[in-house]
Amino acid sequence: MTVLSAGILPLIQHAAPAAGAHPLAGTVADWLWLVPLLPLLGFVINGALSLFAVAHTGPSDPDAGHGDVAAHDHADAGHTLPGDVASGSHGDDHHPVARHRFAGIVSVVGPLMLALSFVLTAAMFFAMRSAHATEPFIQTYFTWMITGELNLAAAFQLDQLAMVMMLVITGVGTLIHVFSVGYMRDDPGYPRYFAYLNLFVFFMLVLVMGANYPVMFIGWEGVGLCSYLLIGFWFSEKANADAGKKAFIVNRIGDFGFLVALMMLFAHLGTMDFQGVAAGAPQMSTGVVTAICLFLFLGCVGKSAQIPLYVWLPDAMAGPTPVSALIHAATMVTAGVYLVARSSFLFSLAPVAGLTVALTGALTALFAATIGLKQWDIKKILAYSTVSQLGFMFMAVGVGAYVAGIFHLATHAFFKALLFLGSGSVIYAMHAAYHKTGSHEDAQDVRNMGGLRRFMPVTWVLMWIATLAIAGIPPFAGFFSKDEILTSVYARAHGSTLAEASWLGIPGSALLYFIYFVGIVTALLTAIYMTRMMLYTFHGPNRTGEAERGALKEAPWVMTGPLVLLGVLSAFGGWFNLPKIFTDFLPVGPTFALEHWLDPVVGEQQLAVTHGEAVHLSHGTELLLIGAAIVVAIAGIVVAWRMLKPEKLVPKADSPADEGFERIFAEKYFVDEGYDRAIVQPLYRGSRGVLWRGVDAGLIDGFFVNGTAWLARAFGWLGSTAQTGAVGTYAWVVVLGVVAVIGVFTLR
């Protein structure tokens, strides 16, 4: 590492001599490049262990451990609790495996690289606080590409927005890595898993640290690649491989929009770095800015799973549960929200695009929440919850409340990581119990759980904290961020550029009131389906089975420890940005700390949406909005508690089929089936009938390849026919040739 530092740091200092004028120059911020390099180093080490130090574990036939397709639906973890007989790979309870011989090294390298990255990021945060820097600190490492007027630099940018994202990614990511040590250590692909996980974080850091859109796009595509690798981690099962491909392909649709936006930026401004675009954006016409913003948002729709490209995210549950936590809480799906906030200098100039973003977010939030009401797989419930909460974030950044969107992004990272890792602990215990008896019941279906609070009291308490946070109950983290979003939407219904614009003929003010109403309804549904999940999982009688019940217990400390830390953040993480109305009543922390922190990056853009005036609601109106949000959250919990009876629930094997609206919700409105019939199958039939049989087999193989061979055989046949061996025949041919030549010259 010392040799590496000695070689790279002089390059940085030489490449960016003007950085000496910045307040952060000469501080720990000079080591900015090391933040993403550490997880990349972890990827290299763990990848080498995976490739060159293969442990011969599991069955000799790689497909043998996945022969039981049903087991895929019944178990998420390919491991056992300490002391049990080691199980096979994912979904395999019959083939003994030996733990990878370098599992100890991997268990240290994987989390350590990210922990060091978090410590370095935290040091930079304190340096930024002391320096009071208002301008971004940019390090240019080398010229990436020069062609014509295009001059791209490989550069990182450190400002207040990037710092928030870096802290969330490295902080929550470290806890997920530590949890993974206990969750995945008996998997035969353990080094490969941590290599992918480290690479995922590296690309996400590149995404949020890039000083221009092309560098951001490299990270953007990198997390897409890693999501494919991690979602399809257990690729021997077709369902997992298909889920990985689905995520990759659907995201390519959104990425096309991102690329078009970049081309338009360069065509109109001649630059793609953030500072250059921010300076030139006011020079472009409103129509051009709106088009660029809409294309950027298409990228966000794919990456952050909004309507209509949300379908990949629930299927991402095919990967290991810590992967779900990393994708849903701290990294990939938040990239779209970050992109809109980072591009606030564009979106603040395009109210129609902002209304489109906010409306899409609201409809996605409501749509996903209704589906979550009738899901039985504990991870699928959380998956649709993520889609819904992302909708709230887009509601915020769409109306120009960029701080509120980033605030909810951070608090959501805390409680959603806790919920996913908590569900991982539950699945871990359920899988171990079923493994002990050789049962193939579904370890992820809440109908097979119930009463787990008696066996897993710590997980029960912590997951209730996260549930109250996501439901919006004060003083937990989600209450403050969700309330700020709803209040911001309501406040901008008057006296803002959004309210004065129109969207497809609909007045912006009316549309914003509709978005607020949808947000309130979604908050009610969120409280209902999350309480439902907790009741069916932890309360009432246990439905796991008499023989399996004795094996249910808490996960090891390496898994429970991260849950405790996330529980603290879920409980108090909202205090990073307490509203004044709250601190006046209970002075437990600074007022609007996050808003003041992000003001140098998005403050001017937020004011541009409200005509340069800070949004102010009357004291009574603000209290009414807060009270309404609290009442709705409590009402949702009460409704779920009174209407749902865990004691009446039966195990999955004995459950009747869903009917009516329940079936529509359970089958996710049949959207996937609709896509399959309207897009996938016609494309498949067209590819098979036209491209394969018509073009490939018919034109290329049949006409060009086989036709050329037939023509060569025809000439060969003619030649062989002429070679009779009769001298007289050859003489006549010569005579005829001479006559023909004489004839040609004579006619001439």
Side-chain angles (χ1 to χ4, degrees), residues 306-398:
Q306 298 295 283
I307 291 175
L309 302 181
Y310 71 94
V311 291
W312 70 269
L313 192 56
D315 284 20
M317 300 302 98
T321 299
V323 170
S324 303
L326 192 63
I327 292 177
H328 286 243
T331 55
M332 181 173 171
V333 297
T334 61
V337 180
Y338 169 77
L339 175 58
V340 176
R342 175 57 75 190
S343 306
S344 59
F345 40 74
L346 292 171
F347 282 88
S348 62
L349 300 175
V352 174
L355 288 172
T356 304
V357 172
L359 180 62
T360 303
L363 296 178
T364 302
L366 179 61
F367 182 78
T370 58
I371 296 176
L373 290 171
K374 198 56 184 177
Q375 296 302 301
W376 295 109
D377 187 306
I378 189 171
K379 290 176 64 178
K380 287 290 181 71
I381 297 172
L382 297 177
Y384 283 103
S385 168
T386 298
V387 176
S388 183
Q389 294 304 304
L390 287 167
F392 273 102
M393 298 177 208
F394 280 110
M395 287 167 56
V397 295

Side-chain angles (χ1 to χ4, degrees), residues 259-270 284 287-288 291-292 295:
L259 280 174
V260 172
L262 297 191
M263 295 174 188
M264 292 183 67
L265 283 173
F266 179 71
H268 287 85
L269 297 178
M284 294 187 291
V288 171
I292 292 173
F295 277 115

Side-chain angles (χ1 to χ4, degrees), residues 145-208:
M145 187 187 305
I146 299 179
T147 173
E149 298 180 358
L150 179 63
N151 189 342
L152 296 180
F156 285 158
Q157 173 174 310
L158 183 62
D159 60 11
Q160 287 78 3
L161 177 58
M163 176 54 66
V164 172
M165 296 299 296
M166 289 163 63
L167 285 171
V168 170
I169 293 166
T170 58
V172 177
T174 298
L175 297 178
I176 294 172
H177 275 62
V178 173
F179 183 92
S180 296
V181 171
Y183 195 84
M184 294 292 294
R185 60 187 170 186
D186 288 325
D187 193 281
Y190 189 55
R192 177 169 60 92
Y193 168 81
F194 264 108
Y196 292 165
L197 215 61
N198 288 157
L199 186 64
F200 199 124
V201 175
F202 162 74
F203 277 121
M204 190 65 194
L205 288 170
V206 170
L207 191 157
V208 301

Side-chain angles (χ1 to χ4, degrees), residues 578-592:
L578 292 173
K580 187 175 186 301
I581 194 171
F582 190 87
T583 54
D584 288 345
F585 174 73
L586 190 64
V588 294
T591 304
F592 292 127

